[in-house]
């Protein structure tokens, strides 16, 4: 069966950057945009040009810089927003305008004090207006996660007629269950007559920790773009994490879905974004956390030393992590101590290992982690010299 490409739309510089404390200056945004292009994302959402002169300038500079990815600017369904975005994106080789409006009853009634008919009109007008400036117009139905499917399908059909090339179905509040989000996408695939003229995009927030699962449910049911951020940063509990969805599709070839991402750059890119944003990555974060390939219990360490695949479903090299680490703690067994001692120059006989292990345990009970310097001390205590280099 043929593998389908899923487009990766990175919104680190828009949905990610709007998080308190994650503000970037223009030069930092340019460095990140260049890295995202190298990483192989298909679309870089560079900002929201109408929101401030700084954002306008950053989008404009990114549009000049990026060579491969499409560069996208966010707008509301407002003419002035669209004009500003079009102007900022002028130098882009592949410009995309991302326009839209809230479609849930909650947004229509409380935010816009409007009605469904008027919202459809505004959506159509915004898309048609954006098409005067660029060929690639993505429409977002904000709060699609809580929008009635029949109405959502009607909106989608109308905006495609007006020229939308991509339909973004955001679970803005992170409310949907994977099954519900997947069904929503399937409903659109089955009920929007002109759906073959547009790509469906998943934009999921992580309020219930389901952003990744929902995005995968979306592509399994026919969406072919995922909107995500490096390290999953974004509004409130964050957006879908880029590294997670990319590696899920890679590790499950049976899905017959893949991306153009160079996965070997994932770890380094995660570190770069974390550094620039001053937003540490949680140690147990999937794929890129410092513990993602660290093994600390004796049973796991013994297994990994015998064969990495016993406890690792991803080769750390595939995501740019050069070693899977065996962390030495009081929970570690003899195999882990022998392994680390060998790495730093001690080939231990069985008797030497038994001896060193008792001393190791008494050190490990006093410290969180035993590092290489501690092992040298332990070896000295038990009179073991480094093995001669052969
Ligand atoms: O979460 C959301 O609905 C958004 C849209 C503006 C695309 O970020
Ligand atoms: Zn969002």
């Amino acid at each position: 069966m043929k593998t389908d490409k899923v487009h990766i739309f990175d919104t680190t510089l828009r949905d990610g950057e709007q998080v308190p404390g994650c503000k970037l200056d223009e030069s930092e945004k340019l460095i990140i945009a260049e890295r995202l292009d190298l990483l192989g994302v298909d679309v870089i959402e560079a900002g929201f040009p109408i929101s401030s002169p700084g954002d306008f300038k950053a989008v404009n500079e990114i549009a000049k810089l990026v060579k491969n990815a499409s560069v996208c600017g966010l707008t509301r369904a407002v003419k002035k927003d669209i004009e500003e975005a079009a102007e900022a994106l002028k130098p882009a080789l592949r410009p995309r305008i991302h326009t839209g409006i809230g479609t849930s009853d909650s947004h229509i009634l409380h935010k816009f004090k409007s009605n469904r008919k008027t919202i459809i009109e505004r959506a159509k007008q915004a898309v048609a207006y954006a098409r005067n400036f660029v060929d690639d117009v993505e429409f977002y139905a904000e709060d699609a996660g809580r929008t009635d499917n029949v109405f959502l399908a009607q909106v989608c059909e109308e905006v495609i007629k007006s020229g939308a090339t991509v339909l973004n179905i955001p679970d803005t509040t992170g409310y949907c269950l994977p099954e519900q989000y997947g069904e929503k996408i399937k409903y659109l695939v089955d009920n929007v007559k002109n759906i073959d003229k547009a790509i469906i995009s998943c934009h999921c927030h992580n309020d219930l920790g389901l952003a990744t699962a929902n995005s995968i449910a979306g592509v399994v049911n026919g969406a072919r773009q995922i909107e995500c951020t490096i390290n999953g940063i974004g509004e409130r509990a964050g957006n879908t994490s880029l590294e997670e969805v990319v590696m899920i599709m890679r590790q499950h070839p049976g899905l017959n879905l893949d991306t153009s991402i160079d996965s070997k750059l994932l770890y380094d890119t995660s570190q770069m974004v974390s550094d620039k944003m001053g937003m540490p990555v949680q140690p147990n974060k999937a794929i890129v956390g410092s513990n993602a390939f660290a093994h600390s219990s004796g049973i796991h360490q013994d297994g990994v030393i015998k064969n990495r695949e016993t406890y690792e479903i991803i080769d750390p090299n595939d995501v740019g992590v050069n070693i899977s680490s065996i962390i030495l703690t009081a929970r570690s067994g003899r195999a882990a101590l022998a392994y680390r001692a060998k790495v730093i120059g001690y080939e231990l006989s069985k008797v030497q290992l038994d001896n060193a292990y008792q001393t190791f345990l008494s050190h490990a009970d006093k410290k969180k982690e035993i590092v290489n310097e501690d092992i040298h001390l332990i070896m000295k205590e038990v009179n073991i010299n480094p093995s001669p280099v052969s």
Side-chain angles (χ1 to χ4, degrees):
M1 201 169 154
K2 164 177 157 291
T3 295
D4 262 7
K5 172 164 169 156
V6 172
H7 294 82
I8 293 293
F9 175 115
D10 182 280
T11 184
T12 305
L13 296 173
R14 200 278 297 170
D15 223 337
E17 207 254 350
Q18 71 195 46
V19 170
C22 283
K23 188 102 196 79
L24 299 167
D25 64 28
E26 187 185 310
S27 68
E28 291 167 327
K29 286 185 189 176
L30 287 170
I31 292 169
I32 292 177
E34 205 165 23
R35 167 52 68 98
L36 293 171
D37 205 23
L38 192 67
L39 182 65
V41 308
D42 300 281
V43 186
I44 297 174
E45 188 164 48
F48 184 11
I50 193 94
S51 67
S52 74
D55 228 41
F56 179 96
K57 175 103 189 318
V59 173
N60 189 245
E61 293 300 324
I62 291 169
K64 289 178 197 160
L65 179 78
V66 167
K67 299 282 176 296
N68 304 304
S70 299
V71 179
C72 174
L74 184 76
T75 81
R76 295 165 295 181
V78 171
K79 273 190 168 178
K80 184 80 187 120
D81 283 30
I82 294 168
E83 287 158 10
E84 285 286 292
E87 187 60 30
L89 291 168
K90 247 186 196 160
L93 292 171
R94 278 170 279 277
R96 176 181 294 183
I97 292 179
H98 189 190
T99 190
I101 196 160
T103 52
S104 65
D105 287 338
S106 160
H107 279 224
I108 294 174
L109 290 175
H110 304 300
K111 214 168 101 173
F112 301 112
K113 311 228 178 302
S114 186
N115 55 60
R116 288 182 171 184
K117 193 162 169 270
T118 312
I119 292 297
I120 291 202
E121 270 322 299
R122 282 190 61 185
K124 283 164 54 180
Q125 279 168 16
V127 170
Y129 192 58
R131 279 299 302 257
N132 294 324
F133 302 98
V134 293
D135 292 334
D136 190 9
V137 174
E138 174 167 338
F139 173 80
Y140 64 86
E142 196 181 7
D143 205 15
R146 294 185 299 172
T147 299
D148 162 48
N149 284 350
V150 176
F151 178 60
L152 186 62
Q154 206 184 335
V155 175
C156 289
E157 201 162 307
E158 292 301 324
V159 295
I160 294 174
K161 280 188 207 154
S162 301
T165 48
V166 181
L167 295 175
N168 179 7
I169 310 300
D171 184 21
T172 305
T173 57
Y175 177 72
C176 289
L177 295 170
E179 204 178 76
Q180 291 169 330
Y181 190 75
E183 273 169 13
K184 190 173 282 289
I185 301 299
K186 183 161 174 7
Y187 185 86
L188 298 177
V189 171
D190 292 343
N191 292 283
V192 175
K193 286 195 200 83
N194 45 8
I195 198 68
D196 57 310
K197 299 202 166 51
I199 291 176
I200 301 180
S201 183
C202 309
H203 179 115
C204 298
H205 279 268
N206 206 31
D207 299 66
L208 292 172
L210 291 171
T212 293
N214 284 346
S215 297
I216 296 297
V219 291
V220 164
N221 282 284
R224 286 294 175 266
Q225 178 176 280
I226 293 180
E227 311 203 355
C228 46
T229 60
I230 301 294
N231 300 331
I233 56 146
E235 211 45 46
R236 305 181 310 280
N239 286 63
T240 300
S241 155
L242 181 149
E243 51 281 359
E244 291 174 14
V245 289
V246 165
M247 291 314 291
I248 289 169
M249 288 184 262
R250 274 278 140 105
Q251 297 309 117
H252 286 275
L255 292 175
N256 295 310
L257 297 170
D258 203 3
T259 68
S260 302
I261 296 295
D262 178 356
S263 66
K264 287 196 161 45
L265 295 177
L266 285 174
Y267 180 71
D268 208 49
T269 307
S270 155
Q271 290 290 303
M272 174 201 257
V273 168
S274 161
D275 240 43
K276 301 256 175 271
M277 287 190 163
M279 186 64 117
V281 179
Q282 72 190 65
N284 59 329
K285 167 83 180 62
I287 320 293
V288 290
S290 57
N291 288 349
F293 299 100
H295 305 279
S296 51
S297 94
I299 296 170
H300 289 206
Q301 291 178 334
D302 184 49
V304 168
I305 290 165
K306 286 177 177 145
N307 183 324
R308 188 190 60 73
E309 288 182 9
T310 52
Y311 287 97
E312 277 180 3
I313 58 152
I314 298 173
D315 181 342
N317 285 299
D318 289 349
V319 296
V321 174
N322 294 329
I323 44 157
S324 59
S325 45
I326 300 291
I327 307 293
L328 293 179
T329 69
R331 268 356 111 231
S332 302
R334 284 174 173 71
L337 175 61
Y339 170 81
R340 180 74 75 77
K342 188 173 175 188
V343 170
I344 63 170
Y346 303 89
E347 286 271 8
L348 305 179
S349 68
K350 185 170 177 322
V351 176
Q352 283 176 319
L353 178 59
D354 282 344
N355 201 5
Y357 186 64
Q358 296 315 316
T359 311
F360 162 80
L361 282 183
S362 66
H363 281 256
D365 269 337
K366 295 185 204 108
K367 285 192 78 183
K368 269 197 185 143
E369 187 183 335
I370 296 291
V371 297
N372 291 349
E373 288 72 43
D374 301 315
I375 297 180
H376 287 301
L377 282 177
I378 292 165
M379 296 302 158
K380 215 166 171 184
E381 262 180 61
V382 294
N383 293 318
I384 298 173
N385 294 319
S387 311
V389 184
S390 51

